[in-house]
Amino acid sequence: MDMGDTKNRPVGFFDTGVGGISVLKRAMEIMPKENYIYFGDSKNAPYGTRPVEEVKTLTYDAIEFLLEKGAKAIVVACNTATSVAIESLRKKYKSIPIIGVEPALKPAVEMRHEGKIIIMATPITLVEKKFNNLVINYGKNSEIEPLPCAGLVELIESGITEGEELNHFLTEKLEKYLNSKIAAIVLGCTHYPFINRELQKVVGENVPIIDGSEGTAKELKRKLVEHNLLNEENGEGTVEIYNSLDRKEIVDFSYKLLYGKK
Ligand code: DGL
């Protein structure tokens, strides 16, 4: 295959479900000429409460699927899968760029706001070494509050991104922080940007809510440039969304999240 063909091949995105669409959206804004394929494993979501070995196996299978479809680079658009599998994936697939995601703790710390920095993520993400290293590197002088949110991915996967049920869930989760100062909330799960509006209602308009999707999209661009893989064709690229659930509704919902307003 010559270089021209390689550049035309799609960038493969993976998440346990619809969450990684929040990252894909940013990538498309920054690199509209690229072709993208997205695989959501909604059949097996959530991963965040599963044993680590199971998460690894499911992640490897998903990456194989994307590579079979011809992906020239991979974005593991899932904090949970990144936490447990990114290092071994990079060792296994040495020749292609593999980009992961992580909670955007650094920008939250750099804001230097008074109060606690709350990191919302899945239980696995918050106990893994990757997150602890992040806290050691950036969070030493800040009040970091990891907040595992088991159950939230399920709500979003079922199509709930606003409303009373979600508001209740979030209020209950955040209750103990609502009477003290919150410096920022970091979204450490790619599903959570889709509930931004409801979350903002719960914590108040003045609390910054930070997600890492822009940083990931920029990192993808850097890697594509570095590997001489950036698509230079004219015109807009294409997007194809696949899901392990054999249901049209989940694919329709994915496109709605991608093209709908945030
Ligand atoms: N979007 C995934 C993440 O970023 C959700 C993981 C899950 O399925 O629990 O962590």
Side-chain angles (χ1 to χ4, degrees):
M1 190 175 286
D2 67 28
M3 267 334 256
D5 282 333
T6 311
K7 289 181 179 181
N8 264 336
R9 276 159 48 194
V11 177
F13 271 71
F14 160 63
D15 179 48
T16 67
V18 298
I21 299 274
S22 62
V23 188
L24 173 61
K25 206 170 175 152
R26 291 286 161 264
M28 286 168 68
E29 283 165 13
I30 297 179
M31 291 162 287
K33 290 179 183 176
E34 292 297 327
N35 299 311
Y36 297 95
I37 44 170
Y38 181 94
F39 175 67
D41 189 12
S42 296
K43 192 169 143 192
N44 294 304
Y47 283 20
T49 44
R50 283 177 184 274
V52 165
E53 282 311 311
E54 239 174 76
V55 174
K56 274 192 182 161
T57 308
L58 291 167
T59 303
Y60 291 156
D61 289 350
I63 303 307
E64 279 297 328
F65 172 85
L66 291 170
L67 293 173
E68 273 164 28
K69 295 263 171 218
K72 64 179 179 183
I74 297 287
V75 179
V76 181
C78 170
N79 290 262
T80 308
T82 299
S83 300
V84 304
I86 199 84
E87 279 173 27
S88 48
L89 280 172
R90 284 185 182 138
K91 275 187 198 139
K92 189 167 178 198
Y93 304 106
K94 287 201 181 71
S95 60
I96 58 162
I98 300 185
I99 291 94
V101 291
E102 62 180 25
L105 180 57
K106 189 170 174 250
V109 168
E110 284 170 352
M111 284 177 139
R112 293 176 186 281
H113 285 183
E114 191 193 330
K116 296 184 168 76
I117 297 177
I118 300 170
I119 324 278
M120 295 172 68
T122 69
I124 287 192
T125 298
L126 296 172
V127 298
E128 279 297 310
K129 205 168 83 202
K130 202 167 192 303
F131 176 68
N132 287 306
N133 287 342
L134 204 63
V135 175
I136 292 168
N137 285 339
Y138 300 112
K140 265 190 302 235
N141 302 317
S142 307
E143 278 183 273
I144 309 289
E145 292 282 335
L147 182 62
C149 295
L152 189 48
V153 164
E154 288 93 316
L155 279 178
I156 300 164
E157 283 288 310
S158 71
I160 296 170
T161 56
E162 55 191 340
E164 208 177 319
E165 189 181 353
L166 179 62
N167 197 295
H168 261 119
F169 181 98
L170 294 172
T171 307
E172 219 168 72
K173 277 276 167 221
L174 287 148
E175 208 160 26
K176 62 176 182 242
Y177 304 111
L178 294 177
N179 289 324
S180 52
K181 262 232 165 306
I182 302 175
I185 295 191
V186 175
L187 304 181
C189 168
T190 55
H191 278 72
Y192 301 169
F194 294 118
I195 53 125
N196 214 333
R197 222 173 317 154
E198 204 63 51
L199 181 60
Q200 201 81 71
K201 278 190 211 161
V202 172
V203 294
E205 290 301 321
N206 295 328
V207 174
I209 299 175
I210 302 172
D211 81 74
S213 45
E214 197 173 325
T216 307
K218 286 182 176 160
E219 173 68 2
L220 169 64
K221 186 169 183 182
R222 271 194 296 273
K223 290 285 172 206
L224 291 181
V225 170
E226 191 182 308
H227 287 76
N228 195 22
L229 285 172
L230 203 63
N231 198 354
E232 281 148 358
E233 296 279 298
N234 284 327
E236 285 220 343
T238 57
V239 186
E240 271 176 61
I241 297 181
Y242 297 88
N243 195 288
S244 57
L245 267 186
D246 198 13
R247 277 185 21 225
K248 189 180 170 295
E249 291 87 341
I250 194 82
V251 176
D252 289 348
F253 180 45
S254 304
Y255 281 110
K256 192 172 150 211
L257 292 174
L258 183 61
Y259 294 114
K261 272 190 264 142
K262 209 171 123 183

mmCIF file of all heavy atoms in Angstrom, residues 211-251:
data_model
loop_
_atom_site.group_PDB
_atom_site.id
_atom_site.type_symbol
_atom_site.label_atom_id
_atom_site.label_comp_id
_atom_site.label_asym_id
_atom_site.label_seq_id
_atom_site.Cartn_x
_atom_site.Cartn_y
_atom_site.Cartn_z
ATOM 1 N N ASP A 211 -13.363 18.939 30.503
ATOM 2 C CA ASP A 211 -13.174 17.601 29.942
ATOM 3 C C ASP A 211 -11.953 17.595 29.028
ATOM 4 O O ASP A 211 -11.533 18.634 28.536
ATOM 5 C CB ASP A 211 -14.452 17.086 29.257
ATOM 6 C CG ASP A 211 -14.656 17.605 27.866
ATOM 7 O OD1 ASP A 211 -13.942 17.135 26.964
ATOM 8 O OD2 ASP A 211 -15.532 18.460 27.665
ATOM 9 N N GLY A 212 -11.403 16.422 28.835
ATOM 10 C CA GLY A 212 -10.097 16.335 28.172
ATOM 11 C C GLY A 212 -10.164 16.095 26.674
ATOM 12 O O GLY A 212 -9.144 15.833 26.048
ATOM 13 N N SER A 213 -11.364 16.219 26.086
ATOM 14 C CA SER A 213 -11.477 15.793 24.684
ATOM 15 C C SER A 213 -10.664 16.668 23.725
ATOM 16 O O SER A 213 -10.107 16.160 22.753
ATOM 17 C CB SER A 213 -12.939 15.716 24.245
ATOM 18 O OG SER A 213 -13.640 16.839 24.669
ATOM 19 N N GLU A 214 -10.596 17.956 24.005
ATOM 20 C CA GLU A 214 -9.831 18.811 23.101
ATOM 21 C C GLU A 214 -8.335 18.436 23.116
ATOM 22 O O GLU A 214 -7.692 18.354 22.074
ATOM 23 C CB GLU A 214 -10.018 20.276 23.479
ATOM 24 C CG GLU A 214 -9.589 21.158 22.338
ATOM 25 C CD GLU A 214 -9.901 22.618 22.571
ATOM 26 O OE1 GLU A 214 -10.941 22.906 23.195
ATOM 27 O OE2 GLU A 214 -9.088 23.444 22.146
ATOM 28 N N GLY A 215 -7.830 18.202 24.312
ATOM 29 C CA GLY A 215 -6.422 17.805 24.452
ATOM 30 C C GLY A 215 -6.146 16.514 23.694
ATOM 31 O O GLY A 215 -5.111 16.378 23.028
ATOM 32 N N THR A 216 -7.071 15.582 23.759
ATOM 33 C CA THR A 216 -6.894 14.304 23.059
ATOM 34 C C THR A 216 -6.916 14.514 21.545
ATOM 35 O O THR A 216 -6.099 13.939 20.812
ATOM 36 C CB THR A 216 -8.004 13.306 23.453
ATOM 37 O OG1 THR A 216 -8.042 13.226 24.870
ATOM 38 C CG2 THR A 216 -7.761 11.938 22.874
ATOM 39 N N ALA A 217 -7.841 15.345 21.078
ATOM 40 C CA ALA A 217 -7.935 15.600 19.635
ATOM 41 C C ALA A 217 -6.642 16.257 19.127
ATOM 42 O O ALA A 217 -6.138 15.903 18.058
ATOM 43 C CB ALA A 217 -9.141 16.483 19.343
ATOM 44 N N LYS A 218 -6.107 17.180 19.917
ATOM 45 C CA LYS A 218 -4.852 17.837 19.510
ATOM 46 C C LYS A 218 -3.693 16.850 19.497
ATOM 47 O O LYS A 218 -2.826 16.892 18.625
ATOM 48 C CB LYS A 218 -4.542 19.007 20.446
ATOM 49 C CG LYS A 218 -5.437 20.200 20.189
ATOM 50 C CD LYS A 218 -5.069 21.351 21.091
ATOM 51 C CE LYS A 218 -5.902 22.579 20.773
ATOM 52 N NZ LYS A 218 -5.917 23.538 21.883
ATOM 53 N N GLU A 219 -3.690 15.971 20.481
ATOM 54 C CA GLU A 219 -2.636 14.945 20.548
ATOM 55 C C GLU A 219 -2.732 14.016 19.335
ATOM 56 O O GLU A 219 -1.720 13.639 18.746
ATOM 57 C CB GLU A 219 -2.803 14.163 21.866
ATOM 58 C CG GLU A 219 -1.918 12.959 22.066
ATOM 59 C CD GLU A 219 -0.438 13.299 22.236
ATOM 60 O OE1 GLU A 219 -0.099 14.487 22.233
ATOM 61 O OE2 GLU A 219 0.358 12.347 22.342
ATOM 62 N N LEU A 220 -3.953 13.678 18.938
ATOM 63 C CA LEU A 220 -4.141 12.844 17.739
ATOM 64 C C LEU A 220 -3.535 13.551 16.532
ATOM 65 O O LEU A 220 -2.808 12.938 15.744
ATOM 66 C CB LEU A 220 -5.639 12.573 17.516
ATOM 67 C CG LEU A 220 -6.013 11.943 16.166
ATOM 68 C CD1 LEU A 220 -5.407 10.552 16.012
ATOM 69 C CD2 LEU A 220 -7.535 11.853 15.998
ATOM 70 N N LYS A 221 -3.820 14.842 16.406
ATOM 71 C CA LYS A 221 -3.283 15.581 15.252
ATOM 72 C C LYS A 221 -1.747 15.570 15.262
ATOM 73 O O LYS A 221 -1.112 15.304 14.242
ATOM 74 C CB LYS A 221 -3.804 17.023 15.245
ATOM 75 C CG LYS A 221 -3.398 17.757 14.000
ATOM 76 C CD LYS A 221 -4.090 19.075 13.826
ATOM 77 C CE LYS A 221 -3.666 19.690 12.497
ATOM 78 N NZ LYS A 221 -4.267 20.991 12.284
ATOM 79 N N ARG A 222 -1.174 15.818 16.450
ATOM 80 C CA ARG A 222 0.298 15.797 16.557
ATOM 81 C C ARG A 222 0.858 14.459 16.092
ATOM 82 O O ARG A 222 1.830 14.393 15.360
ATOM 83 C CB ARG A 222 0.723 16.050 18.004
ATOM 84 C CG ARG A 222 0.923 17.516 18.369
ATOM 85 C CD ARG A 222 1.659 17.660 19.687
ATOM 86 N NE ARG A 222 0.898 17.129 20.806
ATOM 87 C CZ ARG A 222 -0.007 17.825 21.505
ATOM 88 N NH1 ARG A 222 -0.249 19.074 21.219
ATOM 89 N NH2 ARG A 222 -0.669 17.266 22.509
ATOM 90 N N LYS A 223 0.211 13.376 16.543
ATOM 91 C CA LYS A 223 0.704 12.030 16.189
ATOM 92 C C LYS A 223 0.562 11.751 14.704
ATOM 93 O O LYS A 223 1.437 11.128 14.092
ATOM 94 C CB LYS A 223 -0.042 10.955 16.993
ATOM 95 C CG LYS A 223 0.301 10.944 18.459
ATOM 96 C CD LYS A 223 1.678 10.321 18.677
ATOM 97 C CE LYS A 223 2.117 10.472 20.113
ATOM 98 N NZ LYS A 223 3.557 10.471 20.302
ATOM 99 N N LEU A 224 -0.542 12.194 14.101
ATOM 100 C CA LEU A 224 -0.734 11.966 12.666
ATOM 101 C C LEU A 224 0.331 12.727 11.873
ATOM 102 O O LEU A 224 0.903 12.202 10.917
ATOM 103 C CB LEU A 224 -2.143 12.401 12.230
ATOM 104 C CG LEU A 224 -3.303 11.547 12.745
ATOM 105 C CD1 LEU A 224 -4.639 12.088 12.222
ATOM 106 C CD2 LEU A 224 -3.169 10.078 12.349
ATOM 107 N N VAL A 225 0.627 13.953 12.308
ATOM 108 C CA VAL A 225 1.664 14.740 11.626
ATOM 109 C C VAL A 225 3.015 14.037 11.773
ATOM 110 O O VAL A 225 3.746 13.814 10.809
ATOM 111 C CB VAL A 225 1.719 16.174 12.199
ATOM 112 C CG1 VAL A 225 2.939 16.930 11.675
ATOM 113 C CG2 VAL A 225 0.437 16.942 11.861
ATOM 114 N N GLU A 226 3.314 13.653 13.006
ATOM 115 C CA GLU A 226 4.601 13.008 13.306
ATOM 116 C C GLU A 226 4.823 11.737 12.466
ATOM 117 O O GLU A 226 5.921 11.474 12.016
ATOM 118 C CB GLU A 226 4.586 12.653 14.797
ATOM 119 C CG GLU A 226 5.884 12.222 15.404
ATOM 120 C CD GLU A 226 5.646 11.863 16.884
ATOM 121 O OE1 GLU A 226 5.064 12.692 17.626
ATOM 122 O OE2 GLU A 226 6.017 10.744 17.275
ATOM 123 N N HIS A 227 3.744 10.967 12.247
ATOM 124 C CA HIS A 227 3.860 9.723 11.483
ATOM 125 C C HIS A 227 3.554 9.923 9.992
ATOM 126 O O HIS A 227 3.386 8.950 9.256
ATOM 127 C CB HIS A 227 2.909 8.656 12.032
ATOM 128 C CG HIS A 227 3.358 8.080 13.338
ATOM 129 N ND1 HIS A 227 3.222 8.758 14.533
ATOM 130 C CD2 HIS A 227 3.955 6.900 13.641
ATOM 131 C CE1 HIS A 227 3.708 8.012 15.514
ATOM 132 N NE2 HIS A 227 4.162 6.879 14.999
ATOM 133 N N ASN A 228 3.474 11.183 9.586
ATOM 134 C CA ASN A 228 3.153 11.502 8.187
ATOM 135 C C ASN A 228 1.862 10.810 7.739
ATOM 136 O O ASN A 228 1.798 10.205 6.667
ATOM 137 C CB ASN A 228 4.336 11.104 7.291
ATOM 138 C CG ASN A 228 4.232 11.725 5.915
ATOM 139 O OD1 ASN A 228 3.541 12.737 5.742
ATOM 140 N ND2 ASN A 228 4.854 11.108 4.934
ATOM 141 N N LEU A 229 0.828 10.906 8.571
ATOM 142 C CA LEU A 229 -0.429 10.214 8.280
ATOM 143 C C LEU A 229 -1.620 11.157 8.092
ATOM 144 O O LEU A 229 -2.742 10.706 7.895
ATOM 145 C CB LEU A 229 -0.762 9.249 9.442
ATOM 146 C CG LEU A 229 0.039 7.953 9.534
ATOM 147 C CD1 LEU A 229 -0.287 7.218 10.831
ATOM 148 C CD2 LEU A 229 -0.249 7.057 8.340
ATOM 149 N N LEU A 230 -1.383 12.447 8.208
ATOM 150 C CA LEU A 230 -2.488 13.399 8.112
ATOM 151 C C LEU A 230 -3.080 13.374 6.703
ATOM 152 O O LEU A 230 -2.344 13.435 5.716
ATOM 153 C CB LEU A 230 -1.963 14.805 8.445
ATOM 154 C CG LEU A 230 -2.963 15.838 8.934
ATOM 155 C CD1 LEU A 230 -3.592 15.421 10.261
ATOM 156 C CD2 LEU A 230 -2.279 17.192 9.107
ATOM 157 N N ASN A 231 -4.386 13.281 6.627
ATOM 158 C CA ASN A 231 -5.053 13.214 5.321
ATOM 159 C C ASN A 231 -5.025 14.579 4.631
ATOM 160 O O ASN A 231 -5.486 15.563 5.201
ATOM 161 C CB ASN A 231 -6.504 12.743 5.514
ATOM 162 C CG ASN A 231 -7.120 12.245 4.224
ATOM 163 O OD1 ASN A 231 -6.512 12.357 3.163
ATOM 164 N ND2 ASN A 231 -8.308 11.685 4.312
ATOM 165 N N GLU A 232 -4.493 14.607 3.430
ATOM 166 C CA GLU A 232 -4.386 15.904 2.750
ATOM 167 C C GLU A 232 -5.369 16.054 1.596
ATOM 168 O O GLU A 232 -5.283 16.985 0.807
ATOM 169 C CB GLU A 232 -2.941 16.108 2.261
ATOM 170 C CG GLU A 232 -2.031 16.541 3.394
ATOM 171 C CD GLU A 232 -0.614 16.029 3.240
ATOM 172 O OE1 GLU A 232 -0.328 15.307 2.271
ATOM 173 O OE2 GLU A 232 0.210 16.354 4.116
ATOM 174 N N GLU A 233 -6.318 15.120 1.502
ATOM 175 C CA GLU A 233 -7.336 15.220 0.452
ATOM 176 C C GLU A 233 -8.160 16.478 0.644
ATOM 177 O O GLU A 233 -8.294 16.971 1.763
ATOM 178 C CB GLU A 233 -8.307 14.026 0.559
ATOM 179 C CG GLU A 233 -7.685 12.690 0.320
ATOM 180 C CD GLU A 233 -7.541 12.384 -1.165
ATOM 181 O OE1 GLU A 233 -8.571 12.307 -1.838
ATOM 182 O OE2 GLU A 233 -6.396 12.241 -1.627
ATOM 183 N N ASN A 234 -8.748 16.952 -0.431
ATOM 184 C CA ASN A 234 -9.669 18.075 -0.287
ATOM 185 C C ASN A 234 -11.048 17.555 0.105
ATOM 186 O O ASN A 234 -11.376 16.421 -0.146
ATOM 187 C CB ASN A 234 -9.773 18.850 -1.594
ATOM 188 C CG ASN A 234 -8.530 19.709 -1.795
ATOM 189 O OD1 ASN A 234 -7.957 20.202 -0.836
ATOM 190 N ND2 ASN A 234 -8.105 19.845 -3.037
ATOM 191 N N GLY A 235 -11.816 18.419 0.710
ATOM 192 C CA GLY A 235 -13.192 18.039 1.048
ATOM 193 C C GLY A 235 -13.311 17.371 2.403
ATOM 194 O O GLY A 235 -12.302 17.048 3.032
ATOM 195 N N GLU A 236 -14.559 17.167 2.804
ATOM 196 C CA GLU A 236 -14.823 16.601 4.143
ATOM 197 C C GLU A 236 -14.625 15.097 4.166
ATOM 198 O O GLU A 236 -14.907 14.413 3.188
ATOM 199 C CB GLU A 236 -16.269 16.890 4.516
ATOM 200 C CG GLU A 236 -16.495 18.313 4.902
ATOM 201 C CD GLU A 236 -17.444 18.447 6.071
ATOM 202 O OE1 GLU A 236 -18.174 17.486 6.401
ATOM 203 O OE2 GLU A 236 -17.440 19.533 6.661
ATOM 204 N N GLY A 237 -14.143 14.617 5.293
ATOM 205 C CA GLY A 237 -13.982 13.182 5.468
ATOM 206 C C GLY A 237 -15.313 12.518 5.801
ATOM 207 O O GLY A 237 -16.345 13.177 5.899
ATOM 208 N N THR A 238 -15.259 11.206 5.993
ATOM 209 C CA THR A 238 -16.492 10.455 6.293
ATOM 210 C C THR A 238 -16.467 9.935 7.729
ATOM 211 O O THR A 238 -15.395 9.850 8.339
ATOM 212 C CB THR A 238 -16.615 9.244 5.345
ATOM 213 O OG1 THR A 238 -15.425 8.451 5.510
ATOM 214 C CG2 THR A 238 -16.739 9.690 3.899
ATOM 215 N N VAL A 239 -17.633 9.577 8.233
ATOM 216 C CA VAL A 239 -17.722 8.962 9.568
ATOM 217 C C VAL A 239 -18.606 7.722 9.478
ATOM 218 O O VAL A 239 -19.692 7.775 8.912
ATOM 219 C CB VAL A 239 -18.408 9.902 10.599
ATOM 220 C CG1 VAL A 239 -18.347 9.292 11.989
ATOM 221 C CG2 VAL A 239 -17.796 11.269 10.594
ATOM 222 N N GLU A 240 -18.101 6.632 10.025
ATOM 223 C CA GLU A 240 -18.926 5.417 10.100
ATOM 224 C C GLU A 240 -18.984 4.982 11.545
ATOM 225 O O GLU A 240 -17.940 4.858 12.191
ATOM 226 C CB GLU A 240 -18.260 4.282 9.317
ATOM 227 C CG GLU A 240 -18.621 4.213 7.855
ATOM 228 C CD GLU A 240 -17.817 3.116 7.190
ATOM 229 O OE1 GLU A 240 -17.951 1.943 7.590
ATOM 230 O OE2 GLU A 240 -17.018 3.461 6.299
ATOM 231 N N ILE A 241 -20.185 4.731 12.040
ATOM 232 C CA ILE A 241 -20.317 4.315 13.441
ATOM 233 C C ILE A 241 -20.809 2.869 13.524
ATOM 234 O O ILE A 241 -21.806 2.512 12.890
ATOM 235 C CB ILE A 241 -21.273 5.257 14.206
ATOM 236 C CG1 ILE A 241 -20.681 6.671 14.229
ATOM 237 C CG2 ILE A 241 -21.519 4.749 15.628
ATOM 238 C CD1 ILE A 241 -21.503 7.701 14.977
ATOM 239 N N TYR A 242 -20.079 2.071 14.290
ATOM 240 C CA TYR A 242 -20.468 0.676 14.534
ATOM 241 C C TYR A 242 -20.732 0.493 16.013
ATOM 242 O O TYR A 242 -20.114 1.175 16.842
ATOM 243 C CB TYR A 242 -19.351 -0.296 14.138
ATOM 244 C CG TYR A 242 -19.006 -0.274 12.682
ATOM 245 C CD1 TYR A 242 -18.060 0.625 12.186
ATOM 246 C CD2 TYR A 242 -19.622 -1.154 11.794
ATOM 247 C CE1 TYR A 242 -17.746 0.656 10.841
ATOM 248 C CE2 TYR A 242 -19.307 -1.131 10.435
ATOM 249 C CZ TYR A 242 -18.367 -0.224 9.966
ATOM 250 O OH TYR A 242 -18.050 -0.196 8.639
ATOM 251 N N ASN A 243 -21.630 -0.441 16.311
ATOM 252 C CA ASN A 243 -21.891 -0.740 17.725
ATOM 253 C C ASN A 243 -22.117 -2.240 17.889
ATOM 254 O O ASN A 243 -22.704 -2.875 17.005
ATOM 255 C CB ASN A 243 -23.119 0.049 18.210
ATOM 256 C CG ASN A 243 -23.217 0.063 19.719
ATOM 257 O OD1 ASN A 243 -23.533 -0.948 20.342
ATOM 258 N ND2 ASN A 243 -22.904 1.199 20.319
ATOM 259 N N SER A 244 -21.623 -2.783 19.010
ATOM 260 C CA SER A 244 -21.752 -4.221 19.236
ATOM 261 C C SER A 244 -23.191 -4.631 19.529
ATOM 262 O O SER A 244 -23.542 -5.804 19.437
ATOM 263 C CB SER A 244 -20.844 -4.663 20.394
ATOM 264 O OG SER A 244 -21.161 -3.920 21.553
ATOM 265 N N LEU A 245 -24.029 -3.669 19.890
ATOM 266 C CA LEU A 245 -25.445 -3.971 20.095
ATOM 267 C C LEU A 245 -26.108 -3.972 18.725
ATOM 268 O O LEU A 245 -25.959 -3.019 17.974
ATOM 269 C CB LEU A 245 -26.119 -2.880 20.924
ATOM 270 C CG LEU A 245 -26.212 -3.018 22.425
ATOM 271 C CD1 LEU A 245 -27.060 -1.881 22.957
ATOM 272 C CD2 LEU A 245 -26.780 -4.352 22.852
ATOM 273 N N ASP A 246 -26.827 -5.024 18.450
ATOM 274 C CA ASP A 246 -27.431 -5.127 17.130
ATOM 275 C C ASP A 246 -28.756 -4.351 17.111
ATOM 276 O O ASP A 246 -29.815 -4.913 16.889
ATOM 277 C CB ASP A 246 -27.653 -6.625 16.835
ATOM 278 C CG ASP A 246 -27.851 -6.861 15.357
ATOM 279 O OD1 ASP A 246 -27.569 -5.941 14.580
ATOM 280 O OD2 ASP A 246 -28.311 -7.963 14.998
ATOM 281 N N ARG A 247 -28.656 -3.041 17.404
ATOM 282 C CA ARG A 247 -29.897 -2.247 17.463
ATOM 283 C C ARG A 247 -29.687 -0.908 16.767
ATOM 284 O O ARG A 247 -28.732 -0.199 17.069
ATOM 285 C CB ARG A 247 -30.285 -2.007 18.929
ATOM 286 C CG ARG A 247 -31.040 -3.159 19.549
ATOM 287 C CD ARG A 247 -31.504 -2.843 20.954
ATOM 288 N NE ARG A 247 -31.563 -1.424 21.231
ATOM 289 C CZ ARG A 247 -31.105 -0.861 22.357
ATOM 290 N NH1 ARG A 247 -30.558 -1.599 23.279
ATOM 291 N NH2 ARG A 247 -31.216 0.433 22.548
ATOM 292 N N LYS A 248 -30.609 -0.592 15.887
ATOM 293 C CA LYS A 248 -30.494 0.652 15.120
ATOM 294 C C LYS A 248 -30.526 1.868 16.058
ATOM 295 O O LYS A 248 -29.849 2.867 15.829
ATOM 296 C CB LYS A 248 -31.661 0.703 14.121
ATOM 297 C CG LYS A 248 -31.564 1.819 13.108
ATOM 298 C CD LYS A 248 -32.762 1.780 12.157
ATOM 299 C CE LYS A 248 -32.811 3.033 11.293
ATOM 300 N NZ LYS A 248 -33.057 4.266 12.038
ATOM 301 N N GLU A 249 -31.306 1.747 17.139
ATOM 302 C CA GLU A 249 -31.489 2.898 18.052
ATOM 303 C C GLU A 249 -30.169 3.410 18.600
ATOM 304 O O GLU A 249 -29.967 4.612 18.726
ATOM 305 C CB GLU A 249 -32.382 2.525 19.260
ATOM 306 C CG GLU A 249 -33.827 2.262 18.946
ATOM 307 C CD GLU A 249 -34.085 0.819 18.540
ATOM 308 O OE1 GLU A 249 -33.118 0.106 18.155
ATOM 309 O OE2 GLU A 249 -35.250 0.395 18.593
ATOM 310 N N ILE A 250 -29.262 2.494 18.925
ATOM 311 C CA ILE A 250 -28.011 2.926 19.566
ATOM 312 C C ILE A 250 -27.114 3.651 18.540
ATOM 313 O O ILE A 250 -26.438 4.616 18.880
ATOM 314 C CB ILE A 250 -27.280 1.756 20.281
ATOM 315 C CG1 ILE A 250 -26.189 2.274 21.215
ATOM 316 C CG2 ILE A 250 -26.691 0.747 19.317
ATOM 317 C CD1 ILE A 250 -26.672 2.733 22.551
ATOM 318 N N VAL A 251 -27.170 3.200 17.298
ATOM 319 C CA VAL A 251 -26.383 3.885 16.259
ATOM 320 C C VAL A 251 -27.013 5.255 15.973
ATOM 321 O O VAL A 251 -26.309 6.262 15.863
ATOM 322 C CB VAL A 251 -26.277 3.013 14.984
ATOM 323 C CG1 VAL A 251 -25.539 3.757 13.879
ATOM 324 C CG2 VAL A 251 -25.552 1.704 15.299
#
